[in-house]
Amino acid sequence: MIENYLEHKPNPGWQKEIDLTQQAIAAANRMQPKPKFFIVCGDLIDAFPGTSLREPQVVDYKRVFSQLENDIPLVCVCGNHDIGNRPTHETIEAYRSTFGADYFSFWIGGVHCIVINTQYYKDGSLVQDLQQEQDAWLDLELKQTGYQHRVVFQHIPWFLQDATEEDDYFTIDRTTRLTYLDKFRASGVKTIFSGHYHRNAGGWYREVEAPVTSAIGAQLGNDESGLRVVTVNADAVSHKYYRLEDVPRTVDL
């Protein structure tokens, strides 16, 4: 994306993204205590489905992330570049066969982590049946009990600063937004992490925090390439964005 969208090179490559990702992986590998997982909140690659650069970018993505130590699981979130701005059954199936499920959940101790595919809510016009399947699954997930904290990971933010803000390319439309925010709030979700914006942003919807994390790669604002470190204790889910150069070696829990 750096050479394509920012530098407008006629034959864009992605070595800059590879270098930055390797720097992020190295920071995670040396971190103490070891991260419970490393999550990429969507747009795993830049090339859209059906384009010539997609397959070589997929190959490089998997090669580079193989450098993540084996005891740090990689969690992939589905983004619009991964399945298209208007996904089809074919692009969803291609994603699933390449990267795994586009929505799922997992537990880390007492933390219930839910990963959803927000492209269904941005434009699911061609895959309404798949959106309905995700919604039915989500309702069952939110009925689970026994969690200490419940968090959601997704690509497109519900909002950038305020839940009542106008619709935007980088957000979900307001009617859908408020429906799901109310659903999550009523089901005990504490934090909703997202990306997509290539800038840091975020805000609160009543008791629910919704931080938006900038990219390891291309920046569209004043932030620098970095990652967000999340810590969890009995009382709170806390987080801080670091430039890649500033990611701590030791994290206080």
Side-chain angles (χ1 to χ4, degrees), residues 25 34 38-39 48 50 61 81 122 158 166 181 184 206 228 244 246:
I25 290 170
K34 288 290 185 185
F38 187 118
I39 189 165
F48 279 97
Y61 179 89
H81 281 250
K122 187 65 172 178
W158 298 108
E166 295 297 321
L181 287 173
F184 288 139
R206 300 187 181 182
R228 189 173 300 275
L244 292 178
D246 299 331

Side-chain angles (χ1 to χ4, degrees), residues 91-211:
T91 63
I92 295 291
E93 181 54 39
Y95 176 89
R96 291 173 175 176
S97 64
T98 302
F99 296 109
D102 58 314
Y103 58 88
F104 53 94
S105 69
F106 59 98
W107 290 77
I108 299 292
V111 182
H112 186 199
C113 302
I114 299 174
V115 176
I116 62 172
N117 182 350
T118 46
Q119 207 59 35
Y120 291 140
Y121 308 127
K122 187 65 172 178
D123 186 351
S125 57
L126 301 181
V127 288
Q128 293 182 25
D129 57 326
L130 299 183
Q131 178 188 333
Q132 291 168 2
E133 290 176 7
Q134 175 174 264
D135 284 340
W137 166 85
L138 180 60
D139 287 342
L140 291 175
E141 283 295 316
L142 294 175
K143 289 179 181 177
Q144 292 197 45
T145 59
Y147 58 89
Q148 188 172 29
H149 301 293
R150 174 173 276 160
V151 298
V152 173
F153 297 96
Q154 58 190 61
H155 180 56
I156 300 178
W158 298 108
F159 60 91
L160 298 177
Q161 294 178 324
D162 188 285
T164 62
E165 68 196 23
E166 295 297 321
D167 297 350
D168 186 272
Y169 167 79
F170 289 105
T171 62
I172 306 297
D173 74 87
R174 187 160 47 178
T175 299
T176 304
R177 173 196 312 163
L178 293 174
T179 297
Y180 282 88
L181 287 173
D182 282 332
K183 179 195 293 281
F184 288 139
R185 175 176 174 265
S187 302
V189 171
K190 183 179 292 285
T191 315
I192 302 172
F193 293 98
S194 62
H196 187 52
Y197 191 44
H198 291 261
R199 285 155 283 200
N200 286 307
W204 291 78
Y205 180 71
R206 300 187 181 182
E207 304 88 13
V208 181
E209 188 179 13

Side-chain angles (χ1 to χ4, degrees), residues 12-52:
W14 49 92
Q15 187 59 47
K16 294 182 177 69
E17 283 88 346
I18 289 175
D19 294 343
L20 291 165
T21 302
Q22 289 176 323
Q23 190 175 347
I25 290 170
N29 286 342
R30 65 175 175 258
M31 190 178 292
Q32 294 295 329
K34 288 290 185 185
K36 294 295 185 182
F37 58 92
F38 187 118
I39 189 165
V40 182
C41 277
D43 285 359
L44 312 180
I45 57 176
D46 178 48
F48 279 97
T51 59
S52 61

